[in-house]
Amino acid sequence: MKIVSDTSTMFTPKQAEELGFHVLPLSVTIDNVSSRELVEIQSPEFIEKVRAGFVPISSQPSVGETMEVFELYEETKEEILCLCMADGLSGTFKSTQGARELAKNKDNIHVVNTQILCGPHRYLVKKALEFQSEGKSLQEIKAYIEERIPTGKSFLVPQDFDFLKRGGRLTPVAARVGGLLKILPIMCTNDDGTRIEKYGVKKTMKGAAKVIVEGLKEKGVDDSYLITVSHADVFDQAKEVMEIVKDAFPNNDIRMYDLTPAFITQGGPGCIAVQTIKK
């Protein structure tokens, strides 16, 4: 069995190769140049361009690139488990399904919409690799992942209202007022992970973190959940958020990551994501 995923996991293709699976890079276009994230462009360079005034867009891995991976296993007829980032937040799931339909070995390709991204998505892939090394079957691994998918939840705190306005998350008027008042919107994924909706508003990142903690508790998060804090070049603020989360959940596994260009495209420089999934 082979596992395939994408850079929503925050693994580079090189890291994936070392771990024994495939990662398909999402792409970003900025300053009229399209680049595969974590291959041809890294987050610091990307953020520098954004802060210079260039407006980025992101796109899913190409169908052609996905098919190239599938074709590697046509002769061997190995089963392929594709763990895609949330459908609705990216076209990756649908494009992977499209590549599967064109593949000669499509009956051996299993495409899963994880309904999550970034930290929890990374966890699901790592867990699948762990189970694979233990000799578990594709069906057993898929069953575990499908059981965990409904427990995933993401909160996002953007700090650049222009990105929310461009993404349609806020109206131009709301974005302008929010920027003038220096408030922080708190966004949350809906139940099936297809949309990011407004959850609350606070004036400080500390206040936003406290709202998120209450939101996690309301959603039933306990010691059995992984919690991740990911950020776009605001390590000190992310560390402050992480400490607040740790105080509220002292027995949880809590990890910090740097966001990749495709997700900074959605949340903007300075954004912080707090996410969770049952382990």
Side-chain angles (χ1 to χ4, degrees):
M1 181 187 72
K2 293 296 178 181
I3 294 169
V4 177
S5 193
D6 51 70
T7 45
S8 161
T9 59
M10 300 177 290
F11 283 115
T12 68
K14 184 177 180 181
Q15 289 170 331
E17 184 180 358
E18 291 169 353
L19 290 169
F21 74 108
H22 293 277
V23 152
L24 295 163
L26 283 79
S27 295
V28 291
T29 300
I30 190 166
D31 192 15
N32 297 317
V33 177
S34 182
S35 307
R36 293 180 300 158
E37 68 169 6
L38 305 185
V39 178
E40 297 159 336
I41 192 167
Q42 305 296 326
S43 294
E45 176 191 356
F46 178 77
I47 289 173
E48 188 176 325
K49 286 180 176 290
V50 172
R51 287 179 170 154
F54 295 104
V55 178
I57 59 173
S58 61
S59 58
Q60 66 268 20
S62 71
V63 170
E65 191 171 8
T66 305
M67 286 192 68
E68 285 178 9
V69 172
F70 292 166
E71 287 168 359
L72 294 174
Y73 305 103
E74 280 183 8
E75 296 293 329
T76 61
K77 301 188 185 301
E78 283 186 79
E79 301 279 356
I80 300 172
L81 178 61
C82 300
L83 302 177
C84 301
M85 66 172 288
D87 184 32
L89 300 180
S90 166
T92 303
F93 174 67
K94 286 186 173 63
S95 68
T96 305
Q97 283 184 314
R100 175 191 176 275
E101 287 303 310
L102 296 170
K104 293 178 181 178
N105 53 336
K106 69 176 185 178
D107 290 341
N108 296 328
I109 301 170
H110 309 266
V111 183
V112 176
N113 171 20
T114 65
Q115 298 181 23
I116 198 70
L117 62 161
C118 299
H121 188 191
R122 182 185 177 99
Y123 171 78
L124 289 178
V125 170
K126 288 185 74 174
K127 202 67 182 176
L129 289 167
E130 179 186 320
F131 285 155
Q132 184 184 27
S133 70
E134 293 171 357
K136 293 188 185 296
S137 68
L138 182 145
Q139 289 73 26
E140 289 175 306
I141 296 172
K142 194 164 174 278
Y144 172 88
I145 288 169
E146 289 174 344
E147 185 180 79
R148 291 301 183 273
I149 284 172
T151 70
K153 186 62 68 175
S154 298
F155 290 89
L156 176 70
V157 184
Q159 299 195 68
D160 188 326
F161 279 82
D162 286 339
F163 277 77
L164 287 180
K165 182 174 68 177
R166 283 199 297 270
R169 310 299 183 195
L170 289 178
T171 66
V173 171
R176 186 165 62 251
V177 171
L180 290 172
L181 295 178
K182 302 297 182 185
I183 58 175
L184 294 175
I186 304 157
M187 317 295 287
C188 182
T189 49
N190 64 345
D191 289 341
D192 61 7
T194 59
R195 297 190 310 277
I196 300 177
E197 302 172 334
K198 185 178 173 184
Y199 187 81
V201 174
K202 281 291 176 179
K203 278 190 167 290
T204 66
M205 187 61 73
K206 184 176 180 180
K210 290 179 178 179
V211 169
I212 290 170
V213 162
E214 292 308 309
L216 292 172
K217 289 178 178 178
E218 286 175 10
K219 295 177 189 305
V221 173
D222 57 25
D223 295 354
S224 66
Y225 280 70
L226 167 73
I227 302 174
T228 66
V229 178
S230 304
H231 68 97
D233 196 34
V234 283
F235 175 80
D236 289 343
Q237 282 187 312
K239 187 177 178 182
E240 179 183 32
V241 170
M242 194 168 182
E243 290 304 318
I244 291 169
V245 173
K246 279 183 177 178
D247 286 344
F249 299 96
N251 300 316
N252 288 66
D253 181 2
I254 305 175
R255 307 175 192 178
M256 184 185 292
Y257 298 107
D258 295 327
L259 288 168
T260 65
F263 300 95
I264 298 169
T265 296
Q266 305 305 315
C271 69
I272 293 178
V274 179
Q275 301 171 279
T276 189
I277 195 165
K278 191 175 179 67
K279 295 177 70 177

